[in-house]
Amino acid sequence: MPKVDVEVLIDDVAIADKALEKKDYAALGELPFVEQTIIGYAAKFIAQVQDNLQKANKIDTGRLETDIQEGSVIREGKTYSIDIGYPVGSEGAKYYDFVNKGVKGFKSGTPNSPYRFRSAFPSMNGPMVNAIQKWVKRNSKLARREDQKYNLTSLQRKRKSVSELNTGRTTAYLIARKIKQRGLPRTGFFDDAIDQVFNEQFYNKMAEALGGDVRLYIKQAASLINEENK
């Protein structure tokens, strides 16, 4: 699963066992209180990812919104962990990090991203041109169905603009060429959500749930990305 892996380490096993006794039956049934807190923040993270996508105007097929999911909370000794992300094999897993981190343009060299386009020109019959042509057709169709004329959202305005384009292959090729040369901008919809959700408030909530200090490790692709890595 392309994921963020949240691990909460409790220094004292006795504190961890005591935390298991605290329950909130109205919220999540029989789950221990600490697990409820972790699951609640996992849900908050997913909601933040979805909100970031909407604000970045990156809603198309909706798979980046719907494919993201959370795993189960696992306890191993003093550590609780949960995986949140896109399951391997899902559509979202195939491209979420390109949208998240962006892709360097062949000519521009921006944005600052681990990904880059390896050529300046797409193949006329290649997958990139195919995908963009489908995107133009899909958004044109959605724009034609839209009957709202005033106070349009940014997504509605974008679709209206796309609907004015020719849906032929040449248009798709020109768009693809521009993207490959200039790059795909970073949105940070996933990475930024980590800082937005697993922040000081989360630390405080976990300390409250456990009745003591905790250490938090957030890993992505097996690399620590939070303060513990500095």
Side-chain angles (χ1 to χ4, degrees):
M1 176 188 288
K3 65 186 180 181
V4 54
D5 179 21
V6 180
E7 291 187 358
V8 180
L9 177 63
I10 306 108
D11 291 324
D12 189 332
V13 176
I15 290 177
D17 289 334
K18 183 178 180 181
L20 292 175
E21 299 173 2
K22 297 176 68 177
K23 297 179 181 178
D24 179 1
Y25 297 98
L28 290 169
E30 298 296 324
L31 286 177
F33 182 70
V34 63
E35 294 186 21
Q36 294 177 33
T37 304
I38 294 172
I39 290 173
Y41 269 83
K44 186 177 179 180
F45 175 80
I46 290 175
Q48 186 65 60
V49 163
Q50 294 167 337
D51 184 58
N52 289 349
L53 279 167
Q54 292 174 9
K55 288 178 178 177
N57 218 6
K58 291 296 179 181
I59 306 300
D60 183 22
T61 62
R63 299 308 296 266
L64 290 181
E65 282 191 295
T66 60
D67 282 357
I68 188 170
Q69 58 187 247
E70 64 193 65
S72 300
V73 176
I74 298 173
R75 182 191 177 192
E76 295 181 355
K78 297 188 293 182
T79 302
Y80 290 88
S81 65
I82 188 170
D83 290 340
I84 319 165
Y86 295 95
V88 174
S90 67
E91 285 298 312
K94 296 176 183 177
Y95 64 92
Y96 92 99
D97 213 29
F98 299 135
V99 178
N100 175 46
K101 292 184 170 65
V103 183
K104 287 182 182 179
F106 185 80
K107 289 188 174 181
S108 69
T110 57
N112 183 17
S113 168
Y115 309 112
R116 64 184 178 89
F117 289 111
R118 297 182 180 277
S119 67
F121 302 96
S123 168
M124 178 63 84
N125 297 311
M128 186 175 185
V129 172
N130 288 338
I132 289 177
Q133 186 177 28
K134 290 178 181 178
W135 173 79
V136 172
K137 289 180 177 180
R138 185 164 54 248
N139 281 273
S140 294
K141 185 181 294 184
L142 290 169
R144 287 195 296 271
R145 292 176 182 173
E146 180 63 62
D147 56 7
Q148 185 176 339
K149 298 184 182 300
Y150 305 102
N151 299 319
L152 301 179
T153 65
S154 57
L155 179 58
Q156 288 172 319
R157 291 194 298 272
K158 180 179 179 180
R159 284 174 172 163
K160 186 177 184 300
S161 176
V162 171
S163 70
E164 297 171 357
L165 298 175
N166 185 294
T167 58
R169 204 162 194 78
T170 299
T171 298
Y173 172 84
L174 293 173
I175 294 173
R177 186 180 68 180
K178 182 177 180 180
I179 292 173
K180 293 197 77 169
Q181 294 183 359
R182 295 189 179 182
L184 187 68
R186 175 192 184 275
T187 66
F189 79 92
F190 193 91
D191 291 347
D192 291 353
I194 295 171
D195 293 330
Q196 291 167 322
V197 174
F198 298 111
N199 50 23
E200 184 178 357
Q201 185 184 53
F202 175 71
Y203 275 90
N204 293 338
K205 283 286 185 181
M206 290 309 305
E208 177 185 346
L210 294 166
D213 292 334
V214 300
R215 280 182 282 166
L216 174 66
Y217 297 88
I218 299 176
K219 297 184 291 185
Q220 191 172 11
S223 298
L224 285 173
I225 56 177
N226 66 330
E227 290 295 325
E228 297 290 347
N229 194 33
K230 294 182 179 180

